[in-house]
Amino acid sequence: MTTAGRHEVAEGLGALEYAALWKGITTAIWDRLDPLEQQIEDEERIPYETVLPILRDCGAFGLLVPREYGGSGLSIAQYLPIIAEFAKIQGGIRVLVHVHNSFAHALSEIGDQRQRTEILPGAATGEKSVAFALTEPDHGTGADLGTTARDTGTGYEINGRKWLITNSDLASHFLVFAKTAPREVSALLVERNAPGLTIEPLPETMGCKGGQHGLLTFANVVVPSTALVGAEGDGQAHLERALEISRVFIAASSLGTSQRAFDLSLAHARSRVTFGKPIAHRQAVQRYLAEMATDIYALRGMLADAAAKWDAGARIPAESSMCKQFGLEAVGRVTDRALLVHGGIGYTRKLPIERLYRDARLNWLEEGPPTVQYLVTARELLNGYEFDGLYESATSGK
Ligand SMILES: Cc1cc2nc3c(=O)[nH]c(=O)nc-3n(C[C@H](O)[C@H](O)[C@H](O)COP(=O)(O)OP(=O)(O)OC[C@H]3O[C@@H](n4cnc5c(N)ncnc54)[C@H](O)[C@@H]3O)c2cc1C
């Protein structure tokens, strides 16, 4: 049924182990990380000295690292509620956790045995981390990349610039996409201390504050041929594969942010009294709440479907872009209505509503803007990709 092939499936944790992991992670999120919100927003800096040990202790770095490398090896259905929970608190922390897990997962799928053995055990504990280096200041993505990797016979010489690269201050490795021939994109793993690589911070962001999304300059950076991920020219396929599931993770982040905005709005509507009644009694406010809940319910359903298909071994190229696109539209509407329900106080920093609104804007950009999601979805559908009934065929192994 699917035109996009199949993939290896993570076994996931048993129910008891997962329940223990969930408890540890949610306790860390609400008792230890959420209280850091004001500090991070004020200082525009994540206090890594505090945050990284908390993430390490609760197992947040190894969520998608296969168990044979020391991680939890979660299924996608198990991972989505966790990244959604992170998306309820300060967004810079969510982005850090997302990029770390997403590209550890990508490496476990596209890296060779040597690359996995070298990096994944460290990724499971947070000592190592792979950042994703695709976007460029001087070019577009995919076929338009300007960064080159010239074959030197014993390795590659990389030249070019990447920017907006999340975790650029933390990453031990960068998964760099570069042209190895005019029409050929390849993926290379570059260590952060490679001679010729300089990393500079960019100005602070609108939301999801505190992390670093830096500018990487590659000036004659020489890497061995073992840095190549897969074969020369595999870069475009690797890119699409990594982004396919990562777009679902972004949609789950949209879900978490929406749920938090809704929960706060429901509580506010019940407690805020005007003209002698809680505003929840007003039909106009009820409509906002009903619309918010409907968006959340629809997104949750899409994510459950996408996760079930992926966990059954199916590729989901159209569903992932549909989830990502619907998710950003949903979180846009929900955070907008949350501001309306809260009135003026929602616009101030007294409540997290204005932060959720700002943080959510990043969901438009991560793993590609809307135009890319429309393009991917339409391309798949026009190529005959079917999304109806896929779950049935995936689970029956056809
Ligand atoms: C906080 C943050 C973190 C990020 N982290 C990472 C990261 O870790 N790694 C990474 O590689 N990137 C990262 N990015 C970059 C992000 O993925 C891109 O910003 C996003 O994909 C848009 O690409 P661009 O900035 O090059 O925009 P542009 O490509 O310049 O696009 C600008 C506008 O033009 C439209 N457009 C451009 N080309 C076309 C076309 N051919 N057809 C139709 N419309 C088009 C776009 O849809 C958009 O509306 C991050 C960005 C931010 C803000």
Side-chain angles (χ1 to χ4, degrees):
M1 183 73 79
T2 172
T3 55
R6 298 179 67 80
H7 63 91
E8 298 272 313
V9 175
E11 210 176 296
L13 289 183
L16 283 180
E17 279 179 299
Y18 184 72
L21 178 75
W22 173 259
K23 186 161 191 302
I25 295 235
T26 50
T27 303
I29 286 175
W30 294 108
D31 292 358
R32 302 180 71 193
L33 295 170
D34 185 49
L36 300 172
E37 174 174 336
Q38 290 300 339
Q39 180 188 343
I40 297 172
E41 294 293 313
D42 287 349
E43 297 176 3
E44 299 192 326
R45 171 187 166 271
I46 296 174
Y48 289 136
E49 62 285 2
T50 308
V51 169
L52 298 184
I54 296 172
L55 294 175
R56 189 172 307 137
D57 291 351
C58 71
F61 287 124
L63 295 170
L64 293 176
V65 173
R67 299 186 79 173
E68 64 195 286
Y69 299 107
S72 294
L74 296 186
S75 66
I76 299 308
Q78 291 176 330
Y79 178 68
L80 296 186
I82 294 179
I83 197 63
E85 200 70 10
F86 272 106
K88 294 178 180 177
I89 62 164
Q90 202 278 330
I93 299 174
R94 190 279 297 169
V95 174
L96 188 166
V97 172
H98 160 68
V99 169
H100 175 90
N101 279 291
S102 198
F103 296 102
H105 182 257
L107 185 68
S108 75
E109 291 216 315
I110 63 176
D112 62 27
Q113 186 62 40
R114 197 192 54 77
Q115 291 161 342
R116 290 197 293 253
T117 306
E118 184 192 328
I119 297 174
L120 291 180
T125 59
E127 285 154 56
K128 291 187 178 169
S129 192
V130 180
F132 177 72
L134 175 66
T135 307
E136 303 193 357
D138 314 308
H139 292 265
T141 50
D144 192 37
L145 288 180
T147 299
T148 57
R150 187 179 62 82
D151 192 343
T152 61
T154 54
Y156 294 88
E157 185 185 81
I158 306 174
N159 281 286
R161 298 201 302 163
K162 301 281 179 184
W163 75 355
L164 296 162
I165 309 308
T166 299
N167 292 352
S168 57
D169 50 349
L170 288 174
S172 58
H173 294 77
F174 295 97
L175 183 61
V176 179
F177 292 85
K179 288 264 185 78
T180 36
R183 293 180 167 275
E184 183 182 85
V185 176
S186 299
L188 299 114
L189 273 169
V190 180
E191 293 186 24
R192 77 172 294 118
N193 58 6
L197 169 59
T198 51
I199 305 168
E200 299 164 74
L202 288 178
E204 191 45 66
T205 49
M206 170 203 275
C208 295
K209 288 181 177 293
Q212 199 188 93
H213 315 280
L215 168 67
L216 314 185
T217 304
F218 298 84
N220 305 324
V221 173
V222 175
V223 294
S225 50
T226 52
L228 192 66
V229 181
E232 264 189 28
D234 281 354
Q236 187 67 32
H238 286 338
L239 190 59
E240 290 180 11
R241 185 167 176 161
L243 291 180
E244 187 174 308
I245 193 62
S246 202
R247 286 176 178 144
V248 178
F249 303 158
I250 300 300
S253 302
S254 293
L255 177 66
T257 302
S258 299
Q259 184 73 54
R260 178 95 193 270
F262 173 74
D263 292 345
L264 291 166
S265 300
L266 195 64
H268 184 79
R270 284 187 172 125
S271 63
R272 167 76 172 144
V273 174
T274 69
F275 298 92
K277 284 184 188 169
I279 58 170
H281 288 215
R282 311 291 171 189
Q283 226 171 31
V285 174
Q286 289 173 1
R287 176 174 174 167
Y288 291 148
L289 295 171
E291 286 174 340
M292 292 163 87
T294 306
D295 266 330
I296 291 168
Y297 184 55
L299 181 54
R300 207 185 281 152
M302 290 175 79
L303 285 167
D305 179 70
K309 287 172 180 168
W310 182 277
D311 285 338
R315 292 286 301 271
I316 49 169
E319 291 90 333
S320 81
S321 279
M322 288 193 274
C323 283
K324 149 95 184 168
Q325 183 59 29
F326 182 78
L328 68 86
E329 290 171 9
V331 77
R333 284 189 292 268
V334 171
T335 52
D336 191 52
R337 283 166 176 73
L339 267 176
L340 295 172
V341 171
H342 279 81
I345 200 66
Y347 194 67
T348 73
R349 285 188 56 190
K350 180 170 167 39
L351 298 170
I353 295 296
E354 64 83 31
R355 178 190 56 74
L356 291 167
Y357 186 91
R358 282 185 289 108
D359 285 353
R361 295 306 303 186
L362 181 55
N363 300 22
W364 269 247
L365 297 161
E366 288 174 295
E367 333 312 33
T371 51
V372 171
Q373 311 313 323
Y374 300 138
L375 184 150
V376 172
T377 304
R379 182 192 66 196
E380 292 298 327
L381 301 178
L382 291 168
N383 282 340
Y385 182 84
E386 296 176 30
F387 60 97
D388 285 338
L390 242 187
Y391 179 41
E392 198 184 329
S393 66
T395 49
S396 65
K398 283 183 218 154

